Amino acid sequence: MPNLLLELRSEEIPARMQRKAAGDLKKLVTDALVEAGLSYEGAREYWTPRRLALDIHGLTARSADVREERKGPRTDANEKAIEGFLRGAGLASVSEAQVVSDPKKGDFYVAVISKPGRAAEEIVADVMPGIIRDFPWPKSMRWGKASSKSGALRWVRPLQSIVCTFGPEHEETVVIPFEIDGITASNVTYGHRFHAPEAITVRRFDDYAASLEKAKVILDAERRKDIILHDARDIAFANGLELVEDEGLLEEVSGLVEWPQVLMGSFEEDYLSIPSEIIRLTIKTNQKCFVTRKQGEETLSNRFILVSNIQAHDGGKEIVHGNGKVVRARLSDALHFWKRDQGNLPDLETLAASATKFGLDLKKPLDQRMAKLDALDVTFHAKLGTQGARVARIRALAKELAAVTGADTALTDRAAVLAKADLRTEAVGEFPELQGLMGRKYAVLQGENASVAAAVEDHYKPQGPSDRVPEDKVAITLALADKLDTLTGFWAIDEKPTGSKDPFALRRAALGVVRILLERRVRLSLLATTSDGDLLSFFHDRLKVYLRDQGARHDLIDAVLTPDADDLLMVARRVEALTDFITSEDGKNLLAGTKRATQLLAAEEKKGTVIADGVSPALLKLDAEKELFAAISAASKDAADAVAGEDFRSAMEALSKLRGPVDRFFEEVLVNDEDAAIRANRLALLRLIREATGTVADFSKISG
């Protein structure tokens, strides 16, 4: 079966867009071909900085013929109805339609529409211009003389050529020469911009990829990544170092080069006095280079690894020299930031009021930055006030939470007033992703307690499902206060997440609260803390996601989670106990009996059947119902006592004793007795089963 090769070659595509764009191209093309009646065996996308490519193999050469019968109106219908039918079916007159008789509905018209299949080449030529013209780039541009014309082609960077060939694997291929804005598809591409700029004629994917490699272009992005990673590891090892690996940077760098050449540069060791995080970000952000460290150590070395797109005649000496100059200049700036942040601000006299408000010591650099943050009235959110006001709220909330977490009140208060101070440091101004981390370093430098310094960094954590959760009690307290203030604030101004949109990362904040409460086993009444039932429901949603990710069954979560459950740690413990119980033999059997009881009871309640207010022992006629009543009375008390003591496993064990009596009851007792009083009493007995099991879970929500 034939194969289709497609390449769209342009000026350099931003690295962050390449992978998604190649995937979009694959989906758009294959969807369009399938919709047109073609099928294919497989498709794979490729990308480099200057091209998107698509290899579709096993494509059918022609779409199938289609025969459709379209039913029309009765033959005696009004003229307008018949005209509309003929027009929709593409028929010139009723003579072109067939008449079909129906014994019940009479005679009616049927149009038989036959659509002959189309050649794959025709279909490709038909769909490709629209796909290219409407391609979903996040940003696109127009260029050249045609850019001034309405409807001119837009592309991420100027589109230069298109390759489109089609044919069987072992025969000659043909070019599908569709055209868009003066660019006509051909079988000609070009290799590396500097090493092999000459034209290359290609036929199908195999020789296309091989020809590009001869022309210094490695088409497969994963292979480019592999080359960069292994060469970087090798060059570091050869110099007694190890590479500090960075998957995000590796992905980006592989999108900057078509012919990766890995080189090593260096900078003066004096710059190693800068924190490693700043060095790494400076070199990564500004030069897209990797850093190294001594083998088995955390401290960085003064060697960095760069990836060039040129195989230089001098072995890369000039490239290394040029990159080194830029790296040194950037590190010089970073060193300046680092030193400035440890010095005094020039306008200390203007910060006295803010210092008094927050109990700050203006002899200390980090305290000065917090006072400056407040004095400048830096906005947190237009509807939620300034950063200073936010720190005051967090401080007050942290004081309340410290009583719950057991954190030292004075240390928690000190951490709260310093938590956002590094937002006014020059290091964080240059690299916002270092907020918290730089605060901790500056806190240590000015002699803060270790718990305070840790909390300044960790109050942002966890920032995702894989991020670590704070451990120190002060950090736990501050992290909860920070996230709860964010959530209650945005809920108060009705800025809640909608659909996939969550600009303030509120889902992440709520999941952070859930993880802290559960993983650090913190008992907290969220409803008492937030006073917002809607927000509690939002926490429930995040809790469900978290517990399901931990392997809990959704029905068991629903069985335990009530709308007013605001102690999430207790909910998690109940789910854990219920999971263990319901998978045991006693649990399975009790579930079956309990569900039978609750379903029968619900059916009678729905019908309005009279149910006694309570069970009357005098009306219990059979041994089985007497035994069940006694068992429920004992199990209810034991289960309630266990729940009160938060011993949910024991509560489940107490309920498991109902298994035998419930089974015997349904074997020997007819609930719907002819005597209305006995029936009402027995239904009340079933209600006791529901109430007893309800002390730990709603068994009606458990599947199975």
Side-chain angles (χ1 to χ4, degrees), residues 168-204:
E169 189 172 351
H170 301 296
E171 298 177 21
E172 278 305 311
T173 57
V174 297
V175 172
I176 303 178
F178 63 85
E179 185 269 341
I180 181 166
D181 275 28
I183 303 173
T184 302
S186 69
N187 59 355
V188 176
T189 189
Y190 297 83
H192 193 283
R193 181 187 293 279
F194 305 112
H195 291 309
E198 301 82 12
I200 302 169
T201 302
V202 299
R203 293 170 297 172
R204 55 181 58 86

Side-chain angles (χ1 to χ4, degrees), residues 315-531:
K317 291 181 181 178
E318 281 300 314
I319 295 172
V320 169
H321 177 70
N323 275 269
K325 285 177 63 177
V326 178
V327 165
R328 291 185 193 94
R330 296 296 188 183
L331 288 177
S332 178
D333 291 342
L335 183 59
H336 176 69
F337 298 150
W338 172 239
K339 289 181 177 178
R340 283 268 304 245
D341 286 339
Q342 297 174 57
N344 292 327
L345 293 173
D347 54 352
L348 291 181
E349 67 280 359
T350 68
L351 306 179
S354 293
T356 300
K357 185 194 303 184
F358 288 99
L360 298 166
D361 182 354
L362 291 183
K363 295 177 183 178
K364 296 182 177 182
L366 200 57
D367 291 57
Q368 295 175 22
R369 271 69 185 175
M370 177 55 218
K372 187 72 172 180
L373 184 71
D374 178 64
L376 288 174
D377 285 336
V378 176
T379 300
F380 167 61
H381 184 279
K383 295 181 180 179
L384 293 174
T386 65
Q387 287 283 6
R390 181 165 187 246
V391 169
R393 292 196 304 270
I394 292 173
R395 186 183 186 187
L397 183 53
K399 183 178 181 180
E400 293 179 22
L401 293 173
V404 175
T405 62
D408 182 279
T409 304
L411 295 179
T412 300
D413 187 68
R414 180 63 175 162
V417 296
L418 293 180
K420 307 297 181 183
D422 67 353
L423 296 178
R424 290 304 306 166
T425 63
E426 295 196 37
V428 173
E430 181 72 10
F431 300 113
E433 56 266 63
L434 291 181
Q435 59 187 287
L437 187 147
M438 294 310 303
R440 178 176 192 162
K441 291 185 180 295
Y442 294 133
V444 170
L445 285 172
Q446 69 178 37
E448 298 296 333
N449 180 279
S451 289
V452 171
V456 170
E457 177 182 4
D458 288 355
H459 81 281
Y460 289 106
K461 296 184 177 299
Q463 292 189 304
S466 59
D467 194 17
R468 66 180 176 85
V469 174
E471 296 182 12
D472 184 277
K473 287 184 178 180
V474 175
I476 289 170
T477 307
L478 196 56
L480 286 172
D482 178 72
K483 292 168 180 61
L484 289 170
D485 174 74
T486 298
L487 289 159
T488 54
F490 282 106
W491 245 250
I493 62 173
D494 200 26
E495 289 280 1
K496 304 168 187 175
T498 56
S500 60
K501 294 182 180 179
D502 186 10
F504 304 109
L506 301 181
R507 290 189 180 93
R508 186 176 71 186
L511 180 60
V513 171
V514 169
R515 287 192 60 199
I516 292 171
L517 296 180
L518 269 56
E519 295 178 30
R520 295 296 173 253
R521 307 195 75 75
V522 176
R523 298 285 308 278
L524 178 65
S525 170
L526 286 173
L527 199 54
T529 306
T530 64
S531 302

Side-chain angles (χ1 to χ4, degrees), residues 51 189-203 205-219 223 258-259 311:
R51 66 199 83 222
T189 189
Y190 297 83
H192 193 283
R193 181 187 293 279
F194 305 112
H195 291 309
E198 301 82 12
I200 302 169
T201 302
V202 299
R203 293 170 297 172
F205 179 78
D206 288 345
D207 72 281
Y208 163 74
S211 297
L212 281 181
E213 186 137 356
K214 289 178 183 176
K216 307 294 192 211
V217 174
I218 295 174
L219 184 64
R223 188 162 158 244
E258 292 192 316
W259 191 248
Q311 190 171 341

Side-chain angles (χ1 to χ4, degrees), residues 1 153 217 225 279 317 346 357 376 406 416 525 533 620 634 642 702:
M1 295 175 74
L153 174 65
V217 174
K225 286 174 66 174
I279 295 174
K317 291 181 181 178
K357 185 194 303 184
L376 288 174
S525 170
L620 299 174
I702 303 174

Side-chain angles (χ1 to χ4, degrees), residues 631-643 654:
I632 292 174
S633 300
S636 295
K637 182 181 183 305
D638 292 345
D641 290 346
V643 168

Side-chain angles (χ1 to χ4, degrees), residues 601-679:
L601 179 63
E604 295 302 320
E605 286 174 332
K606 189 175 182 181
K607 290 190 294 186
T609 305
V610 174
I611 303 172
D613 293 335
V615 175
S616 171
L619 291 175
L620 299 174
K621 302 299 183 184
L622 302 176
D623 289 344
E625 58 185 331
K626 294 176 183 177
E627 179 189 354
L628 178 58
F629 179 60
I632 292 174
S633 300
S636 295
K637 182 181 183 305
D638 292 345
D641 290 346
V643 168
E646 297 175 3
D647 185 354
F648 302 114
R649 293 183 186 277
S650 293
M652 298 291 179
E653 289 174 8
L655 291 176
S656 70
K657 295 174 184 177
L658 291 176
R659 172 195 167 181
V662 168
D663 289 347
R664 186 182 173 194
F665 176 83
F666 282 114
E667 288 171 4
E668 301 180 12
V669 178
L670 176 64
V671 175
N672 286 319
D673 193 88
E674 292 181 358
D675 186 319
I678 292 176
R679 179 172 62 247

